[in-house]
Amino acid sequence: MKKRILAGALGLAILAGTVTLAGAAGQDQALVSLSYLNGVFWDDLKATVKQEVDRNTSAIYSAAMGQGAGAAGTFAPQTGINGDAVAGNTGCGLIWTQGSAVVRSGTLVDATAGAEIPEGGALTVGHRYLAGTDVTLTVSSDTAQWMAEGRWTVTAGEPLPAQLPFTDVPRGAWYYEDISYVYRHELFNGSSPTQFAPDDKMQRCMMTTVLHRLAGKPVVEYSAVFLDIPDGQWYTAGTVWAGRTGVVSGVGDGLFDPFSNVTRQQIAVILYNYAVKMGYDVSASAELSEFSDAGAVAAWGRSAISWAVGVNIINGRDGNLAPDGDATRAEVAAMLHRFTTWVQK
């Protein structure tokens, strides 16, 4: 298989040289036209190479998908954690199914994309890979899973430092670890590939979406739980799920008001309801009199605020609870980080 792939690559390289020569010589000296080489012949050769790769890796793909009886027993599931070194011999294959990893050394070919992964390059979930030489990968997520064909060994190594793609989340910021946690656990996305927008206000529909992810994204069929939550929006599944389970309630008249900012005491109530639905012990409570604005806490939010303060999910703002204050994305990231830490305890 490796010889066939390399032969195809060599053919592409020779073709590239032929095109150069044909272009450099006079048109009357060219054996074939430059337009033919750049067009039909080039496209046909690339298609032939791709077909050869697909044919030789079809057994790997079928086995991973549970479709290849002929490949049964040749494919094995493997797992790793952050920092683990995954080493494979020349000709071995794998399909990456969960988590992330980077190439540390050797040649790894992405058979799905038809490209070689450079050192430091990341693997893509769902893609098929072949080791062109002996290769070593490093798991870069908390956990990872893949289907391995051939000899792949996993050895423990030093965990990789958390790397955020956001230029507006400096390492020294008070919320850095919180945002790192919610991003790496796929609870939050950024406002763009390079921006997290930590100081932007958190909207109600964002909150339901995040909690839906925290719950493992349970499948939910659409129903008009709230009149202002249409089907097919990015926030639909999370809000319908949260409404059905009683984690959130509307604002009256059958509405949810998805794009209003969520307040600190609303977050306390939502997390309290979520904890109750999940069967967690919510008996802890704290005295609120130490906060100068304790009297501003609504009757419907007092039990939840007392609990949230008692388990250290909500802290004060300069000695105030600020129950009606809008929560920022960074604050919600911190609350969710503290909440999941409390759950794990």
Side-chain angles (χ1 to χ4, degrees):
M1 177 171 60
K2 179 184 175 186
K3 289 181 179 179
R4 292 191 182 97
I5 295 173
L6 293 178
L10 180 59
L12 292 175
I14 293 173
L15 175 57
T18 303
V19 170
T20 302
L21 290 174
Q27 183 64 33
D28 58 340
Q29 296 175 319
L31 296 178
V32 293
S33 70
L34 181 60
S35 61
Y36 175 77
L37 289 175
N38 280 332
V40 176
F41 187 73
W42 179 258
D43 291 340
D44 285 350
L45 182 55
K46 287 192 295 184
T48 299
V49 172
K50 184 180 186 302
Q51 288 173 0
E52 187 68 12
V53 170
D54 288 343
R55 186 177 68 82
N56 283 282
T57 58
S58 60
I60 299 174
Y61 182 79
S62 297
M65 298 296 107
Q67 299 170 351
T74 65
F75 228 87
Q78 292 185 334
T79 61
I81 61 174
N82 186 10
D84 281 355
V86 183
N89 296 333
T90 302
C92 292
L94 58 78
I95 296 178
W96 203 257
T97 58
Q98 182 180 323
S100 59
V102 295
V103 176
R104 282 308 179 200
S105 64
T107 300
L108 187 69
V109 176
D110 185 335
T112 300
E116 181 182 327
I117 308 301
E119 290 190 11
L123 276 65
T124 302
V125 171
H127 281 211
R128 294 178 281 171
Y129 295 92
L130 295 172
T133 65
D134 290 353
V135 66
T136 301
L137 318 173
T138 302
V139 176
S140 55
S141 55
D142 285 348
T143 60
Q145 297 179 7
W146 59 94
M147 300 296 293
E149 185 270 338
R151 181 175 176 79
W152 292 89
T153 60
V154 182
T155 56
E158 289 295 324
L160 297 178
Q163 295 181 349
L164 295 178
F166 309 120
T167 59
D168 58 350
V169 183
R171 182 171 285 275
W174 67 265
Y175 46 71
Y176 180 86
E177 293 300 331
D178 300 313
I179 290 177
S180 177
Y181 179 87
V182 297
Y183 175 73
R184 293 175 61 212
H185 286 80
E186 300 181 346
L187 301 178
F188 269 65
N189 296 321
S191 60
S192 77
T194 59
Q195 298 287 307
F196 185 82
D199 296 324
D200 282 5
K201 305 303 183 184
M202 188 79 169
Q203 295 175 330
R204 287 166 57 83
C205 58
M206 291 180 184
M207 191 70 198
T208 54
T209 299
V210 167
L211 281 182
H212 187 226
R213 294 170 184 160
L214 182 63
K217 294 183 179 179
V219 176
V220 57
E221 293 185 3
Y222 176 76
S223 62
V225 178
F226 302 109
L227 299 178
D228 53 353
I229 303 297
D231 193 10
Q233 303 301 308
W234 61 265
Y235 54 84
T236 299
T239 305
V240 170
W241 166 82
R244 279 185 179 175
T245 56
V247 171
V248 299
S249 57
V251 296
D253 297 325
L255 303 176
F256 181 71
D257 197 13
F259 298 110
S260 287
N261 296 334
V262 66
T263 67
R264 287 164 58 83
Q265 71 178 340
Q266 286 175 346
I267 291 174
V269 171
I270 291 171
L271 290 178
Y272 180 87
N273 291 342
Y274 179 89
V276 170
K277 297 299 179 183
M278 294 297 171
Y280 302 137
D281 181 4
V282 293
S283 60
S285 64
E287 177 57 52
L288 302 182
S289 58
E290 63 179 282
F291 298 99
S292 59
D293 61 347
V297 177
W300 54 264
R302 182 163 292 274
S303 295
I305 286 278
S306 297
W307 163 79
V309 172
V311 295
N312 198 37
I313 291 173
I314 289 183
N315 297 324
R317 281 180 177 173
D318 300 323
N320 295 319
L321 282 169
D324 293 320
D326 295 335
T328 66
R329 285 167 55 84
E331 286 178 329
V332 177
M335 293 177 194
L336 281 171
H337 191 186
R338 296 171 196 150
F339 177 77
T340 54
T341 300
W342 170 75
V343 169
Q344 291 167 0
K345 289 180 180 180

